[in-house]
Amino acid sequence: MKFEINPSRAEANYSKLESAEDVHGLVGTPEGLNLECKRWQGDEKPQKAGLAQCISGFANADGGVIIIGLRAVRQGTEEPDIIQRGEPVKKLANAFSQVSDWIGEIVEPIVPGIEVKSIAMPPDDVGYIVIKIPATELMPVRSRIDNKFYQRITASTRAMEYFQIADMFGRRSRPKLFPLFEFEAPTTGPFGQPVQNLIVGLENAGRNVARFPSIRFDPASFSLDDFGIDGNRGLGLPRIPTRNHHMIFAGGADHVVHPGTQLWIAKFRRSGNRGKTYVTVGRNDEMDAHFPLVTLEVTVSAYGAPSESQIFSEDVQTVRI
């Protein structure tokens, strides 16, 4: 089984909103850097203008989620708006179609990775529209309604200053590293105990080369396999000595992860607990193997990209080997 963990905050928030109950659970909370609520006004022109402003603002910042069908009320000039109540979109199917069409028309350049979904409240054709906007990895995004560039700052969307726009046009695409964890099928160790290997690596999902890549985590119940990733004591990145239980693997100038590629770094091993044994005629006996819960806090980094701390978790497993 392979795990690729911790998407962006926009992706994480978007994936949590699957039902009307999930949306209603936001009532009483403030809008923020990654969340904006909009009412469905019915009047196309102001609706498109407000949506274009939000998409531009989120894309030029850290990404975010727009929910159409919630009413947020301003608390003060320096305070974020508080989500007060739901005002579900009527004729949801038609509104969803309109919003989906507008997204490709109201901003430029088009932001790759935008997703739109509707959350219906049967039996009536009402509900909510949820839009995920990722942060742009390319040029800054502007509204085609008023030709302005916007950026999300705290809980408000503001027109960008000239120097901000110039800085975004001049910046280079960044690498985007994610940790990779892959379990190998459990086997039997030399003393009859169940063992399981965990392969650790990095993937670059960004648009630039990741230089000086590194990964840091506490291996918990896993121990480093002395025979390395290739069975010949080789490692994908050099191991850095530490004073605690953490493992750090970090590359120098000669270690890079190219866009769209993976770098497998090291192999770890842990022992499980023996369970019931099954005697089979003509074959080796089989047994149940129990492996405990795994929770690892992982930090990855590279030159030109901020450090990212993420959580990897896998439930208790019982397998027959």
Side-chain angles (χ1 to χ4, degrees):
M1 189 179 298
K2 178 181 174 181
F3 297 85
E4 301 179 28
I5 62 174
N6 232 35
S8 69
R9 188 172 300 175
E11 175 68 37
N13 292 339
Y14 182 78
S15 64
K16 292 176 182 177
L17 298 172
E18 296 293 340
S19 67
E21 289 72 21
D22 295 333
V23 176
H24 297 160
L26 295 173
V27 173
T29 63
E31 294 180 329
L33 180 64
N34 304 100
L35 177 63
E36 172 78 10
C37 298
K38 292 287 185 184
R39 301 170 62 195
W40 184 250
Q41 301 174 12
D43 190 341
E44 182 174 313
K45 188 173 181 179
Q47 195 81 57
K48 291 172 73 172
L51 192 58
Q53 180 177 323
C54 282
I55 293 174
S56 171
F58 281 135
N60 292 331
D62 194 37
V65 171
I66 302 170
I67 303 175
I68 301 177
L70 287 179
R71 181 184 180 91
V73 177
R74 182 173 297 278
Q75 303 300 299
T77 56
E78 301 298 326
E79 298 295 327
D81 294 357
I82 301 297
I83 301 172
Q84 189 178 62
R85 64 176 181 269
E87 294 185 357
V89 178
K90 298 178 180 179
K91 298 182 180 180
L92 179 64
N94 182 65
F96 174 76
S97 179
Q98 284 184 284
V99 170
S100 299
D101 290 340
W102 292 346
I103 285 175
E105 304 171 354
I106 58 178
V107 295
E108 62 179 1
I110 295 175
V111 183
I114 287 184
E115 295 183 30
V116 188
K117 63 184 175 185
S118 62
I119 298 177
M121 299 170 62
D124 300 320
D125 186 23
V126 299
Y128 303 95
I129 299 172
V130 185
I131 309 169
K132 181 197 75 177
I133 300 96
T136 180
E137 293 285 341
L138 303 173
M139 295 184 296
V141 177
R142 73 172 180 176
S143 164
R144 296 185 66 180
I145 307 301
D146 61 9
N147 294 321
K148 292 183 179 180
F149 295 87
Y150 292 92
Q151 191 172 61
R152 189 74 172 183
I153 300 175
T154 60
S156 62
T157 303
R158 304 176 185 177
M160 295 174 66
E161 299 288 346
Y162 175 81
F163 74 90
Q164 294 175 304
I165 300 170
D167 181 63
M168 287 195 70
F169 270 110
R171 76 181 184 185
R172 300 179 63 185
S173 299
R174 296 187 300 179
K176 184 181 294 183
L177 286 183
F178 292 99
L180 296 176
F181 295 93
E182 184 174 304
F183 278 121
E184 293 185 339
T187 59
T188 302
F191 301 103
Q193 80 280 16
V195 295
Q196 186 176 43
N197 292 331
L198 175 65
I199 314 299
V200 178
L202 290 171
E203 179 174 13
N204 184 2
R207 297 177 179 269
N208 205 349
V209 175
R211 306 178 188 278
F212 301 94
S214 71
I215 183 170
R216 177 182 185 271
F217 63 98
D218 185 340
S221 59
F222 287 89
S223 58
L224 183 65
D225 189 326
D226 292 333
F227 290 98
I229 191 71
D230 58 358
N232 197 31
R233 302 187 183 277
L235 297 173
L237 290 176
R239 181 184 174 188
I240 307 299
T242 63
R243 297 178 60 185
N244 51 31
H245 296 295
H246 284 88
M247 290 277 184
I248 300 178
F249 298 90
D254 295 332
H255 298 90
V256 299
V257 186
H258 291 278
T261 65
Q262 300 172 348
L263 173 66
W264 294 105
I265 297 171
K267 180 186 293 187
F268 291 81
R269 174 170 294 190
R270 66 170 174 172
S271 296
N273 298 317
R274 292 176 61 98
K276 182 179 179 179
T277 300
Y278 302 87
V279 178
T280 55
V281 178
R283 295 185 301 170
N284 292 330
D285 293 348
E286 297 179 342
M287 67 175 172
D288 285 338
H290 304 285
F291 295 95
L293 172 72
V294 178
T295 301
L296 304 175
E297 182 173 354
V298 188
T299 302
V300 298
S301 65
Y303 177 76
S307 296
E308 298 275 355
S309 294
Q310 307 170 358
I311 300 294
F312 160 75
S313 183
E314 165 65 359
D315 290 337
V316 176
Q317 296 184 75
T318 300
V319 293
R320 184 179 296 188
I321 60 176

